[in-house]
Amino acid sequence: MESESPTETKKGKSKTPKKEKESILKQKSPAEFFAENKNIAGFDNPGKCLYTTVRELVENALDSAEAISELPVIEITIEEIVKSKFNSMIGLVDRERVDEELYDDYETAKAREKRLAKEARAQEIQAKNAAFGKKVKEHAVSKSSKGRGEASFYRVTCRDNGRGMPHDDIPNMFGRVLSGTKYGLKQTRGKFGLGAKMALIWSKMSTGLPIEISSSMRGQNYLSFCRLDIDIHRNIPHIHLHEKRDNKDKWHGAEIQVVIEGNWTTYRSKILHYMRQMAVITPYAQFLFKFVSDAPDKNVTIKFARRTDVMPPVPVETKHHPSSVDILLIKRLIAETSKQNLMQFLQHEFVNIGKPLAERLIGEMGPEFSPKMAVKSLTDQQIVRIHQLFRQAKFDDPSGDCLSPAGEYNLRLGIIKELHPDMVATYSGSAQVFEGHPFIVEAGVSVGGKDVKQGLNIFRFANRIPLLFEQGGDVVTRTALKRISWNNYKINQTQDKIGVFVSIVSTKIPFKGTGKEYIGDDISEIASAVKSAIQQCCIQLKSKIVKKMQAREQQERKRNLSKYIPDASNAVYNVLQEMAKSHASKKKRYEEGDADILQKVSDHLITKETLYEKLTQHVEKVDYEMALEYATQTGVREEPREDIYLQSLDGKGNFFDFHSPIFVFRLFL
């Protein structure tokens, strides 16, 4: 019998391994990358996608209005779209199920019987609890009642009165990822510059429907309308319709409409909380939020009215600080600069480098460097030398002139408008620096208020936008919980209703994690500035609380004294009567002044009623004197008040604003 060939298997197949295919080098476009990693931009799940879409559209609208110094008026609408309506929008005919067992939400007769029995027992327990007056919990909806494929769809529309967009730029502004006008070094809202582009990507992934944009700029007699989606693989816009239409109302701004998959039920509170916090930090804006559903009881309409017309200044673009740059950035600045020699480059492209310092730096770099050498001729080694010197040399800190904080005035107004606290204190710190980037911390602490829970209620803002997620690791949360001794400021951390508001603005917010939702606790400069700002607010509040406690104690003393006036007047009058009898019978003689009083008692010129009236007047006098002293220290806030009628102004005249932490004085010319 012949032996089997070693190159053959028992089945006669060859054992020789197949030759692997050669690996092919592939590239991904930015749009494709963010589509596959959408969680980086805050699109983690349908509910978070709905929240992030609202957030991006609102922040873009605010930026657009503020860029032309227009008081923002923003309307945001979320319209629920039922499955049948969505199918008709995409041209899909509804189809009845044929094979029920094929679907995820299918349940067998036995499982259904078991579920119904469980629900019946739960209802029976609820009925018993209700009969005994116990709190009844709502019965949880069974998981099987909604399958995984039963998605919810929403049309999100955001309309503003901002700058608008040039007609020809609209396709690239929405259909090309990582293209925009906000990539300079300045304080900006947003995280990646994705804005509505990420909402468009999510729309394409979840519904396949395009985004619709209407826009018009000031003075234009036409309105630009564009319907487009994005070519994910090529990162270019796919335009369905792009045309000019009549602008009869002379409206300027933008209206963006996108249909996406989402979850309103689970993220309703987050979206409303975001809108409320945005109204706190931007009291000069007017927001109208609507949720529209086929079920009228689900509809929501909330208007956040404007409280002031004083807007923070528009953030300005600044230059890089030498201590904050890396080698790649230096190379990019060299490639983009219009300056010819090294001396001009150092002075023009960086802050805090004047001519004398530039000469000293070039001298320190070595003999191969000279002020007149062509900056474009620098070698890689020479660029590394410049970078090393930038990291080691001492430079003045950058100023905070390029930053645009909300301001104590606006922060205070926002807190009062939305929370209605019993008392509030605000503080705005001076500009500080971390890693060459300036930052400013503003804080507000309130006590009491409407719809405020007991304990610490922490509100965080970065570049004037609310941060709602990942609160536990944030520098503001950790500072408020662990580094502030609230009892030292007469504030009860567990029982009082405390609002802690901290706003940080900077040319670079040091976010942690991919979600960009919290600021780490590891930057000592920011942690120290946050603690100091909160403490300054607490010191102000302590003074108010102590005075309020003194006023309360004074009122208590007045009540106690007033309670004993009848008994005291009776007792004193009885003693005076006995003394008058002794004086009249000459058993005991009194001096002239006392004798006169006793004679008046005998003649009934001094009675119980007289004593009662005098004691009451004395208590009132002491109360008035203490109240007057309290009022002069704190400022009169209650009666008396007078009505003041001011002539209305059209607001078109020239004026100057004089800012104070608690008011703005406007002088019209």
Side-chain angles (χ1 to χ4, degrees):
M1 191 173 177
E2 293 182 6
S3 62
E4 192 178 34
S5 171
T7 59
E8 293 181 356
T9 62
K10 291 180 181 179
K11 295 183 179 180
K13 291 185 179 178
S14 173
K15 289 184 179 179
T16 306
K18 291 183 179 179
K19 204 172 185 180
E20 292 185 5
K21 291 182 179 179
E22 292 183 7
S23 57
I24 301 172
L25 185 65
K26 294 182 179 180
Q27 291 182 337
K28 288 186 178 180
S29 73
E32 193 174 4
F33 171 80
F34 282 106
E36 294 177 0
N37 302 276
K38 59 185 185 297
N39 60 300
I40 293 177
F43 285 73
D44 301 69
N45 54 66
K48 187 80 179 291
C49 290
L50 181 62
Y51 162 80
T52 307
T53 297
V54 170
R55 171 178 169 167
E56 294 287 4
L57 295 182
V58 167
E59 288 162 16
N60 284 352
L62 282 172
D63 284 338
S64 179
E66 290 173 2
I68 56 172
S69 299
E70 184 89 13
L71 290 169
V73 178
I74 297 170
E75 298 178 15
I76 187 84
T77 304
I78 302 176
E79 180 187 352
E80 187 176 25
I81 299 175
V82 295
K83 183 182 175 183
S84 57
K85 184 176 180 180
F86 173 75
N87 285 349
S88 66
M89 288 171 62
I90 62 175
L92 185 65
V93 179
D94 284 340
R95 177 178 169 81
E96 295 293 331
R97 293 184 179 183
V98 177
D99 187 353
E100 288 286 349
E101 295 183 19
L102 183 64
Y103 294 90
D104 181 63
D105 58 355
Y106 171 77
E107 65 178 341
T108 62
K110 187 176 180 180
R112 183 173 181 276
E113 185 180 343
K114 188 176 179 180
R115 176 175 61 81
L116 291 175
K118 185 178 179 181
E119 290 176 0
R121 285 195 301 271
Q123 289 176 0
E124 187 178 343
I125 293 170
Q126 283 183 349
K128 287 181 180 179
N129 288 340
F132 287 108
K134 295 182 180 179
K135 191 174 180 181
V136 179
K137 291 184 180 179
E138 290 188 10
H139 179 63
V141 179
S142 174
K143 281 186 178 181
S144 62
S145 63
K146 188 172 184 179
R148 289 174 300 183
E150 289 293 322
S152 298
F153 300 101
Y154 302 89
R155 179 188 285 113
V156 182
T157 307
C158 184
R159 182 182 177 90
D160 64 62
N161 62 333
R163 173 185 297 192
M165 293 164 279
H167 180 81
D168 295 333
D169 291 346
I170 291 176
N172 282 331
M173 292 180 77
F174 285 89
R176 195 184 295 271
V177 174
L178 300 186
S179 65
T181 59
K182 300 180 182 179
Y183 289 121
L185 184 66
K186 68 176 181 177
Q187 172 191 325
T188 57
R189 290 189 177 96
K191 300 177 291 188
F192 297 100
L194 287 172
K197 300 167 193 172
M198 195 64 221
L200 173 55
I201 290 174
W202 174 241
S203 173
K204 187 174 179 68
M205 294 173 69
S206 60
T207 69
L209 291 172
I211 192 171
E212 292 186 355
I213 306 108
S214 298
S215 175
S216 182
M217 303 182 74
R218 273 180 174 173
Q220 282 185 353
N221 57 4
Y222 65 88
L223 182 148
S224 302
F225 178 81
C226 188
R227 185 184 296 119
L228 60 86
D229 62 27
I230 187 169
D231 186 326
I232 298 290
H233 302 293
R234 298 166 63 197
N235 191 34
I236 59 173
H238 176 215
I239 301 171
H240 297 242
L241 179 64
H242 191 195
E243 63 183 11
K244 295 180 180 179
R245 298 178 176 178
D246 271 347
N247 185 16
K248 296 178 182 177
D249 299 331
K250 303 298 180 184
W251 165 72
H252 65 83
E255 181 178 284
I256 300 166
Q257 190 175 100
V258 59
V259 179
I260 59 170
E261 181 184 347
N263 190 328
W264 166 256
T265 306
T266 56
Y267 273 76
R268 176 184 188 274
S269 61
K270 286 290 185 184
I271 293 172
L272 295 180
H273 196 195
Y274 169 80
M275 295 302 301
R276 188 184 187 192
Q277 288 200 32
M278 188 58 85
V280 168
I281 202 66
T282 53
Y284 53 87
Q286 176 180 304
F287 298 99
L288 178 61
F289 176 85
K290 293 181 181 179
F291 176 78
V292 182
S293 172
D294 286 347
D297 58 323
K298 290 184 179 181
N299 289 351
V300 176
T301 300
I302 304 176
K303 183 177 181 180
F304 299 91
R306 178 182 296 118
R307 181 65 183 264
T308 176
D309 62 352
V310 177
M311 296 175 64
V314 178
V316 296
E317 191 167 345
T318 186
K319 298 171 185 175
H320 294 276
H321 192 268
S323 64
S324 69
V325 298
D326 53 39
I327 295 172
L328 284 176
L329 182 54
I330 295 173
K331 288 183 176 180
R332 180 168 68 81
L333 292 175
I334 290 172
E336 295 175 355
T337 188
S338 60
K339 302 303 174 182
Q340 300 299 317
N341 59 52
L342 182 58
M343 172 71 80
Q344 294 173 340
F345 171 73
L346 293 178
Q347 288 180 252
H348 182 265
E349 298 296 342
F350 301 96
V351 294
N352 296 348
I353 297 184
K355 186 175 180 181
L357 181 56
E359 290 174 344
R360 292 175 62 192
L361 288 170
I362 293 171
E364 187 67 19
M365 290 175 189
E368 68 271 23
F369 292 87
S370 68
K372 298 294 184 182
M373 71 182 297
V375 69
K376 305 283 187 183
S377 68
L378 289 170
T379 64
D380 289 347
Q381 291 78 11
Q382 288 174 324
I383 292 172
V384 171
R385 175 63 185 136
I386 294 173
H387 177 246
Q388 289 176 346
L389 184 57
F390 278 177
R391 296 191 65 174
Q392 296 167 3
K394 183 179 180 180
F395 300 94
D396 291 338
D397 289 337
S399 70
D401 296 342
C402 60
L403 301 179
S404 175
E408 280 190 73
Y409 175 73
N410 278 338
L411 184 59
R412 180 185 293 267
L413 276 181
I415 295 171
I416 293 171
K417 179 169 74 81
E418 293 304 320
L419 269 68
H420 305 284
D422 300 328
M423 58 181 71
V424 61
T426 55
Y427 175 78
S428 181
S430 56
Q432 299 187 50
V433 179
F434 78 97
E435 297 178 358
H437 294 277
F439 72 94
I440 293 175
V441 174
E442 298 176 298
V445 177
S446 65
V447 178
K450 182 181 70 173
D451 299 330
V452 182
K453 297 178 182 177
Q454 282 187 333
L456 292 176
N457 298 267
I458 298 172
F459 302 83
R460 304 169 293 133
F461 304 91
N463 282 351
R464 307 212 309 265
I465 61 170
L467 304 178
L468 269 62
F469 295 90
E470 301 182 55
Q471 181 170 301
D474 190 88
V475 62
V476 176
T477 306
R478 288 179 174 269
T479 300
L481 289 175
K482 298 181 179 180
R483 301 185 187 123
I484 304 295
S485 300
W486 296 97
N487 289 333
N488 293 345
Y489 305 102
K490 309 295 183 184
I491 299 173
N492 190 315
Q493 183 176 345
T494 55
Q495 294 183 2
D496 289 337
K497 297 177 177 180
I498 309 165
V500 180
F501 302 80
V502 176
S503 172
I504 302 173
V505 296
S506 177
T507 52
K508 179 185 178 182
I509 297 291
F511 288 116
K512 295 290 183 180
T514 58
K516 305 292 183 182
E517 285 286 353
Y518 77 102
I519 300 169
D521 196 28
D522 56 340
I523 299 175
S524 58
E525 296 93 337
I526 292 181
S528 175
V530 168
K531 180 182 178 182
S532 176
I534 296 176
Q535 284 178 329
Q536 289 297 324
C537 293
C538 290
I539 290 170
Q540 296 176 43
L541 284 179
K542 182 180 178 180
S543 175
K544 296 179 182 180
I545 291 170
V546 167
K547 289 172 182 175
K548 195 172 183 180
M549 290 170 65
Q550 290 173 345
R552 195 183 302 120
E553 290 171 1
Q554 177 238 330
Q555 288 293 329
E556 187 65 27
R557 283 195 300 272
K558 179 185 174 183
R559 279 196 297 270
N560 290 337
L561 287 172
S562 299
K563 184 170 65 175
Y564 293 112
I565 285 176
D567 293 337
S569 57
N570 284 337
V572 171
Y573 185 72
N574 291 336
V575 170
L576 289 175
Q577 275 189 322
E578 292 297 325
M579 292 172 66
K581 289 177 183 178
S582 299
H583 180 70
S585 62
K586 299 183 180 180
K587 290 182 180 179
K588 191 171 182 180
R589 306 302 295 175
Y590 294 92
E591 295 181 2
E592 185 177 350
D594 296 338
D596 289 343
I597 293 175
L598 295 176
Q599 186 61 44
K600 289 180 180 179
V601 172
S602 299
D603 297 341
H604 299 290
L605 296 174
I606 295 178
T607 61
K608 290 181 183 180
E609 289 74 17
T610 308
L611 291 174
Y612 184 92
E613 184 180 346
K614 292 292 182 183
L615 285 172
T616 303
Q617 288 176 357
H618 180 72
V619 170
E620 291 291 341
K621 182 181 177 183
V622 172
D623 177 59
Y624 174 76
E625 289 174 349
M626 294 181 72
L628 185 63
E629 181 184 358
Y630 175 74
T632 55
Q633 292 175 353
T634 60
V636 178
R637 303 176 69 177
E638 299 300 329
E639 298 291 349
R641 294 181 180 178
E642 294 183 9
D643 292 333
I644 299 177
Y645 299 94
L646 300 177
Q647 184 177 357
S648 63
L649 297 169
D650 58 10
K652 294 180 181 178
N654 295 326
F655 57 83
F656 290 103
D657 284 343
F658 299 92
H659 290 260
S660 163
I662 57 174
F663 72 91
V664 171
F665 180 78
R666 177 165 289 177
L667 176 64
F668 286 87
L669 303 179

